[in-house]
Each structure stands twice: as C-alpha cells, then as structure tokens.
Amino acid sequence: MAFKIYNTLSRKKEIFKPLKGKTVRMYTCGPTVYDYAHIGNLRTYVNEDLLKRYLLWKGFRVKHVTNVTDVGHLTDDADQGEDKMVVAEQREHKSAWDIAAFYEKVFKNDLELLGALMPDIWCRATDHISEQITLVRTLERKGYTYKIRDGVYFDTSRLKDYGKLARLNIEGLKAGARVEVTAGKRNATDFALWKLTPAGTLRHMEWDSPWGRGFPGWHIECSAMAMKYLGRTLDVHAGGIDHIPVHHTNEIAQSEAATGRPFAKYWFHCEFLNVSDTKISDNWSETSKARPLKMAKSKGNFLRLQSVIDETFTPRQLRFFYLTAHYRTQQLFSWESLKNAANTLDKLDEFMDRLARHKNGKSSTAVRKLVAEVRKEFERTMDDDLNVPEMWASLHHFVGSINKLLETKAMASRDAQRVLDTMHDFDSVLAVLRKEERPLPAEVKKLIEQREEMRKQKDFTAADELRKRLLDQYGIEVQDTSEGPRWRFIK
Ligand code: AMP
Ligand code: ZN
C-alpha cells in the first residue's frame, strides 16, 4: 500500500516516493530560541515526529535535520523590528549566547519528554555563518541581490515563480504594499539576506562579511544548512502553516535561484493549536462561546509544557491529545479536552495491563482475524495522509472487540501476546503507550543523592564526573531541574 501525503505545493495528496531509493531526506524548521516553546509550537513538532515515525514504519530510512534559530529572526516578518534574540537580551539582562544556549536545552528536553525522535543533525544558525555568506555570494553573482543601507536584499521580481508555494498574488501585494517598508527596498516581497549592524549599535552576535559587519537574515540559514546536510533537493520540508507565505516562500526563492533546481519535493505543513479568546483560567473551557485564537507568545495566551505538567498532566497525555486531531485541522486546546484525552489514554493503559495479566483462556481464531483487520486499517488510514481520527476509530473498535473476548475468556495467552505485539508495533509510530518502568537500583539511587549533595556543596566538577559515570555505567541520564534531579534510562 502506498503512503499518500498532502503536498502544500500542489495542494493535493500525492503518492510518497523519495527522490533516491528508500532514504527520505527531511528538514524541519526548528525553534527560535529566545523564549520557551509553547504547546502550539510543540504540536507542530509532535506531528512532524508522527510523519517521521510513520515513514520509518513504512520501511523508509529517514535522514532528519532540524535547525536552531539563534540569530536573525526579527519581530516582524517583513525584516522590520528587532532581532528576537536582542529583545530577549533586554528582557533577561543576559547575552544572546546565554539565552540561546538555555532555551535550546529546554526545547530539546521538551521534545524528549514528548517522545519525539531526535533529528540526526541539529544545526545552529550561528555555527553556519560562512555557509550562509557563501550562499548569499552565489545569489549576488547570479544577479539576484542588491545592497541598500540596511543590508543585502533578495530581489523577488527576478524570479518568475516567486510565491508559488503560497500562491501569492504578487500584483495584489504590490498594490497593497505598505509604504513604510525599509527605505530602498525595491519590492514589497524582497527580503533581507544579510543585515548590517546599524552604526553606533552594539550587538553580541555579529560577524564580518563581504558587505560589512552584521548578521544573516532569518531565511538564509535554513537554505544553507538544509542544502549542506541534505543536498540541493530535499524530499520533505516541514513546518507550521504560518511559514507558508514568508519563510518557506523565501527559502524556496533563494535556494532555487542559487541551484536552478526544486528545493523540496514535498512541503508538509501543520495547522495551529488554538485557544479560546478567554484568557487561560480555571473556568476556561471549550464550551464557553469564545472565539478561537492562535496560541502565540505575542498574544500572551500561551502555555508551556511545564505549565501542563504543573497542572498534573504528563507529556505523554499531551502527546496523545495532539494525536487525536489531524495535523491539517486546527485544534482547540482546553483543560477539559486535555482531561478527556487523558481519560481515553487511561483506558488504553488499562487495556494493555489486562492483556499482560491475561492467562488461561480458550484459543480462538477471532483474535487472529481482528488483528489482521486492525493492521490493515492502521495502514490504510495512516497511508491516507496520516488520518489519525480514522485510525483511532478503528483502534477503539478493535479494543472493544478484544475486551469482550477477554471478558468471556475466549482468548489464549498467546492470543493476548499477539494483541500486545500489535499494539506495540503501532506504538512505534504513535509513541503514546506507557513505557515499562524499570526500578532504579538502590546503589544508583544512592549515587544520585550523593551527586545532589555535591551540587549543594558547589562541587560541580565532581557532580559532572558522577553524572558521566551514571550514564556510562548504568545508562541513566540525570537532568537537574528546578524541582530537583530527574533521571531516565537511555540505554
Ligand atoms: P518559532 O519558534 O516561532 O519559529 O515556531 C516554531 C514552530 O511552531 C514553527 O513551525 C511554527 O510554524 C509553529 N507554530 C507557531 N505557533 C503555532 C501554533 N499556535 N500552533 C502550532 N504550531 C505553531
Ligand atoms: Zn526554516
């Protein structure tokens, strides 16, 4: 059976076929590390993870690259406003470097807690300045750029198909263009490739370039790094839908202008997580007749993963909640709907427990038939552009039928094992089932406590050594959080 994926470029579901063999080269636009990711951002990353896991399930290999935007993303998408990192510097009275390092770490931790597979390559914009400069020079050589006082810009009128991803109405845009755009900019859609540091300004993040000291524009990092690690044409490029009109449109423009080849075969975009326009509060619920709003940092209506954990929900419950909705539909967040999702997940956990405990029943052919059916349904629904609502419907139906057989003992323990194996197989894609808890050996518990003591005494060198020993010897990763040490088996 063939996997069909909706391609924003064609606005159609297409049969998925990588450009070369069975390896999928996938690039996902990562976070801007000036603040915590909110649970809207995280919905996008979980759906990208679902895609990656399903590709793996279908037998593809996936080479996955994600960037970390630690410079150049301005507060206004039209190359106006301040660098978000500089805004964070003013807010936190720390250097942009420290801020980026801090939020990058939190972000990666959030992803791990949400059960996302880590990319093969993480790449920071600030580690790839020379690649970005080289790409801008190529564009300059080919006549796609012009320099003004503010920096080097990409001339979008030089491309016949500029805006094809978003199907932008360029004429309409010209007519409606704002007059206060950057002085010297030739077209409303032109965008910065390299911004010059304004005279008399001090930046913590700036570099020399052939055009003067400054920093890269936001979009150029993704083109430079995606092509460096994955080649000139990617199989999949993913991000949230807000990236369609500006960021991805500009990535396509500069990449295709530089190479003369298509930048990506499939464009995968995730819809927003919304909240109602009543501010987050105890009585904030889906049933209130409030208007849905995009969750956004600028609107002050955002929740972090930690806020959800503080309300005693687990990251696994949040992941399950995300995966109840199709990635191309908007999803409305409320505590009520998260609670409902958590209850459904509890039932799945109970089902797994019941199967694991099941002994002594009569063997029946019904189980084999149900398993074969549900496997077929799983693949059919997921092949249809990751149609999770239909997938869950068939899975819940399956659970109901198996539960009946369990009640009447019309099932041998090896049938129960067959069902468990099937559920675990699906879970390699969904990653929502409870993981087996391995008890912590007493000696390890002691070591973790000793390490806490070392940290209290500010003997960080010894604490770091012990952390490494816990990892090397026992396969346990310890993380220090504001609530104390957190550990998990990683081997
Ligand atoms: P940013 O860190 O702002 O670059 O955003 C990270 C990712 O989250 C991008 O792919 C955005 O498109 C996506 N995103 C932003 N807001 C939301 C939202 N409310 N729901 C889902 N995804 C979002
Ligand atoms: Zn990007």
Side-chain angles (χ1 to χ4, degrees), residues 21 23 114 136 163 186 218 226 250 288 295 302 304 387 406 438 449:
T23 302
L114 284 165
V136 179
R186 295 183 189 161
W218 172 33
N250 293 345
S288 70
M295 178 171 286
F302 73 93
R304 297 166 43 196
N387 191 341
L406 281 169
R438 266 196 273 171
E449 280 162 15

Side-chain angles (χ1 to χ4, degrees), residues 447-455 463 467 478 480:
L447 290 177
I448 294 177
E449 280 162 15
Q450 276 173 17
R451 190 173 164 274
E452 257 320 89
E453 201 42 48
M454 291 166 179
R455 280 168 43 79
R467 185 176 192 273
V478 184
D480 302 309

Side-chain angles (χ1 to χ4, degrees), residues 97-108:
W97 295 101
D98 291 342
I99 289 165
F102 176 79
Y103 289 115
E104 180 185 317
K105 205 162 147 208
V106 179
F107 175 74
K108 289 179 179 168

Side-chain angles (χ1 to χ4, degrees), residues 228-461:
K228 168 169 179 168
Y229 294 111
L230 298 172
R232 286 180 288 190
T233 305
L234 324 170
D235 291 297
V236 181
H237 195 311
I241 50 149
D242 55 332
H243 283 343
I244 299 171
V246 181
H247 184 52
H248 287 168
T249 285
N250 293 345
E251 278 189 40
I252 290 177
Q254 64 204 3
S255 309
E256 298 190 353
T259 67
R261 293 166 188 234
F263 182 41
K265 188 170 180 192
Y266 304 99
W267 286 87
F268 178 86
H269 287 105
C270 303
E271 254 292 357
F272 281 142
L273 182 78
N274 292 332
V275 289
S276 60
D277 67 357
T278 336
K279 280 269 156 62
I280 299 159
S281 68
D282 291 344
N283 56 9
W284 183 46
S285 84
E286 220 170 304
T287 41
S288 70
K289 290 249 160 29
R291 199 163 44 98
L293 276 183
K294 173 193 164 190
M295 178 171 286
K297 283 165 203 161
S298 57
K299 296 201 175 79
N301 62 358
F302 73 93
L303 292 169
R304 297 166 43 196
L305 180 57
Q306 188 58 47
S307 340
V308 170
I309 295 171
D310 291 345
E311 291 292 321
T312 70
F313 288 99
T314 63
R316 185 166 73 96
Q317 289 169 330
L318 181 63
R319 179 176 174 108
F320 180 76
F321 164 74
Y322 288 144
L323 295 186
T324 55
H326 189 249
Y327 74 91
R328 279 194 294 120
T329 56
Q330 296 189 352
Q331 185 175 31
L332 190 64
F333 178 85
S334 70
W335 294 114
E336 220 170 86
S337 44
L338 182 57
K339 182 86 199 103
N340 290 339
N343 289 340
T344 313
L345 189 57
D346 280 349
K347 293 208 184 90
L348 266 185
D349 289 345
E350 282 164 24
F351 176 66
M352 297 299 281
D353 289 344
R354 211 171 302 134
L355 283 166
R357 282 197 310 263
H358 182 76
K359 284 193 192 85
N360 311 327
K362 269 213 323 269
S363 183
S364 107
T365 51
V367 175
R368 219 172 285 185
K369 207 166 143 246
L370 286 168
V371 165
E373 261 168 32
V374 79
R375 277 186 178 281
K376 229 165 94 194
E377 275 304 281
F378 182 79
E379 188 161 14
R380 184 188 67 78
T381 53
M382 293 298 281
D383 269 351
D384 178 21
D385 190 34
L386 308 176
N387 191 341
V388 286
E390 274 197 32
M391 182 276 299
W392 287 120
S394 76
L395 200 58
H396 290 316
H397 184 261
F398 170 74
V399 169
S401 310
I402 295 291
N403 266 333
K404 270 194 209 125
L405 294 176
L406 281 169
E407 273 160 30
T408 54
K409 292 246 172 204
M411 206 164 147
S413 47
R414 75 163 181 278
D415 293 328
Q417 191 55 49
R418 195 188 299 272
V419 176
L420 279 172
D421 292 348
T422 305
M423 295 296 286
H424 284 299
D425 180 38
F426 297 163
D427 200 51
S428 71
V429 178
L430 305 168
V432 293
L433 291 180
R434 196 175 46 208
K435 301 277 165 299
E436 266 173 54
E437 301 287 347
R438 266 196 273 171
L440 199 60
E443 79 234 54
V444 175
K445 222 168 172 176
K446 232 193 220 139
L447 290 177
I448 294 177
E449 280 162 15
Q450 276 173 17
R451 190 173 164 274
E452 257 320 89
E453 201 42 48
M454 291 166 179
R455 280 168 43 79
K456 274 195 199 124
Q457 306 296 331
K458 303 222 174 318
D459 188 354
F460 295 115
T461 317

Side-chain angles (χ1 to χ4, degrees), residues 27-30 67 69 218-223 225 237-239 243 247-248 251 263 267:
Y27 184 89
T28 48
C29 284
N67 67 306
T69 301
W218 172 33
H219 319 295
I220 197 77
E221 65 173 270
C222 286
S223 294
M225 297 192 289
H237 195 311
H243 283 343
H247 184 52
H248 287 168
E251 278 189 40
F263 182 41
W267 286 87

